[in-house]
C-alpha cells in the first residue's frame, strides 16, 4: 500500500489517498488510534469520490472510526471492459425509453460484484496491517457487495446496507447466509428500487439481529440522522 497524498481536515481527521496495486482508495482516520475499521462502498459501482459517500465517510470517521473507500474493478474511474460499457449504454437507453431494466442490471451488476469483492479483501488485508487501525471491522453501503463480503469474509463483524442499489439474484440467495448484525436502510419512495423487493430481501437475511429503518423520500433522500444512528449501531458491535 502506497499513500500518495494526505491532508489534515479541520476536525482533526487525516484524509489520505492510496494505491494498492491497481486499486485506488481513500482512508480517513481519527486522531484516536488504533480505531475500528469500516469499509464504505457506494451503490452500483459509483466512484469513491462521490460527494455523498465522502460526506458520510468523514462524519463516520469523526465518531472514532477508520473509514476506507476504494474504486474496485470496473467501479468509479477504474477501466471498464467493452461488455461493461455496452451494459451501461443499454441501461441508459432502456431508462430513457421507459423499458424494463432488471435483465440489464443483472448482466451489469452481477460481474461488478464478482470483481469487486476480491479487491475489497485485498484492501482489508493491507489496512489491518496499519498500526492506526484495529479490529473489529464493519461494512457500510452497497448491499450487493456487502452481502457477498458478509458471506465470504469472516472479519466483517457488522454491516449497514443501503437498499437503493440493485441486488443480483445470486446475492438475493446468499442473503440467507448473512448471520452478522445488520442495519438495513430503505427509502420508501425510491423510484429505482421497488419497495416490496427491498422488504423481501430484508426478510431473507439469515441473521437474528437485523433492523430496518424506512424513511419517506426518493433514492437520494436518506436523512442525515441515519449516519448518526449508523454510528450507534456500529458502536454496539465494533467498540
Amino acid at each position: 500500500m502506497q499513500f500518495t497524498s494526505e491532508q489534515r481536515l479541520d476536525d482533526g481527521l487525516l484524509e489520505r489517498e492510496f494505491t494498492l496495486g491497481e486499486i485506488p482508495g481513500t482512508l480517513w482516520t481519527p486522531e484516536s488510534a488504533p480505531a475500528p475499521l469500516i469499509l464504505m462502498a457506494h451503490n452500483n459501482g459509483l466512484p469513491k469520490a462521490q460527494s455523498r459517500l465522502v460526506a458520510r465517510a468523514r462524519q463516520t470517521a469523526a465518531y472514532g472510526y477508520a473509514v476506507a473507500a476504494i474504486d474496485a474493478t470496473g467501479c468509479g474511474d477504474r477501466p471498464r471492459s467493452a461488455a461493461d460499457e455496452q451494459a451501461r449504454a443499454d441501461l441508459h437507453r432502456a431508462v430513457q425509453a421507459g423499458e424494463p431494466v432488471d435483465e440489464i442490471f443483472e448482466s451489469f451488476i452481477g460481474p461488478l460484484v464478482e470483481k469487486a469483492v476480491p479487491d475489497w479483501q485485498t484492501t482489508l488485508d493491507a489496512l489491518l496491517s496499519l498500526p492506526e487501525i484495529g479490529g473489529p471491522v464493519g461494512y457500510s453501503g452497497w448491499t450487493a457487495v456487502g452481502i457477498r463480503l458478509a458471506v465470504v469474509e469472516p472479519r466483517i463483524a457488522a454491516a449497514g446496507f443501503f437498499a437503493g442499489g440493485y441486488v443480483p439474484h445470486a446475492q438475493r440467495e446468499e442473503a440467507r447466509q448473512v448471520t452478522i448484525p445488520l442495519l438495513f436502510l430503505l427509502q420508501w419512495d425510491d423510484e429505482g428500487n421497488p419497495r416490496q423487493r427491498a422488504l423481501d430481501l430484508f426478510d431473507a437475511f439469515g441473521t437474528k439481529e437485523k433492523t430496518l429503518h424506512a424513511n419517506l423520500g426518493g433514492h437520494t433522500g436518506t436523512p442525515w440522522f441515519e449516519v448518526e444512528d449508523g454510528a450507534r449501531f456500529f458502536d454496539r458491535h465494533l467498540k
Side-chain angles (χ1 to χ4, degrees):
M1 174 177 282
Q2 179 180 0
F3 288 103
T4 57
S5 69
E6 69 174 60
Q7 62 172 328
R8 182 70 66 177
L9 305 178
D10 291 341
D11 53 6
L13 297 177
L14 182 61
E15 181 180 88
R16 288 176 286 178
E17 299 294 323
F18 66 84
T19 58
L20 183 60
E22 297 181 349
I23 305 169
T26 308
L27 176 64
W28 296 266
T29 49
E31 293 180 296
S32 58
L37 173 64
I38 294 177
L39 307 178
M40 193 166 286
H42 210 304
N43 278 344
N44 296 345
L46 291 174
K48 65 181 179 60
Q50 207 278 341
S51 58
R52 285 184 293 130
L53 183 145
V54 171
R56 188 160 52 92
R58 288 177 174 176
Q59 186 60 51
T60 302
Y63 292 130
Y65 292 94
V67 181
I70 66 169
D71 281 342
T73 304
C75 300
D77 295 328
R78 295 281 295 278
R80 301 186 185 101
S81 68
D84 289 341
E85 294 291 4
Q86 184 61 54
R88 288 174 183 265
D90 291 344
L91 178 62
H92 180 75
R93 178 196 54 76
V95 170
Q96 293 297 314
E99 298 173 358
V101 296
D102 274 13
E103 185 174 338
I104 300 173
F105 261 126
E106 189 74 28
S107 65
F108 170 42
I109 300 300
L112 274 186
V113 173
E114 295 294 334
K115 297 171 186 175
V117 168
D119 281 358
W120 276 109
Q121 291 183 292
T122 297
T123 302
L124 180 56
D125 290 341
L127 291 171
L128 289 179
S129 70
L130 299 175
E132 62 268 37
I133 295 178
V137 180
Y139 173 90
S140 175
W142 186 5
T143 299
V145 163
I147 291 172
R148 171 59 60 84
L149 272 175
V151 170
V152 304
E153 181 48 71
R155 292 173 291 184
I156 304 293
F161 293 160
F162 285 72
Y166 180 82
V167 178
H169 291 294
Q171 277 65 63
R172 290 181 221 169
E173 290 299 318
E174 285 181 323
R176 305 181 190 283
Q177 302 175 49
V178 174
T179 58
I180 59 175
L182 176 64
L183 174 63
F184 195 53
L185 301 183
L186 169 64
Q187 285 301 103
W188 202 245
D189 308 299
D190 191 335
E191 58 278 10
N193 188 38
R195 183 187 308 161
Q196 191 58 52
R197 179 184 294 171
L199 294 174
D200 290 344
L201 180 61
F202 178 76
D203 191 50
F205 287 122
T207 179
K208 297 183 183 302
E209 186 173 345
K210 54 183 176 180
T211 300
L212 172 67
H213 285 188
N215 292 282
L216 296 177
H219 183 71
T220 60
T222 304
W224 188 248
F225 64 72
E226 290 291 1
V227 178
E228 301 172 7
D229 286 349
R232 284 190 285 270
F233 166 79
F234 285 120
D235 284 350
R236 291 196 299 273
H237 300 292
L238 303 185
K239 289 187 176 179

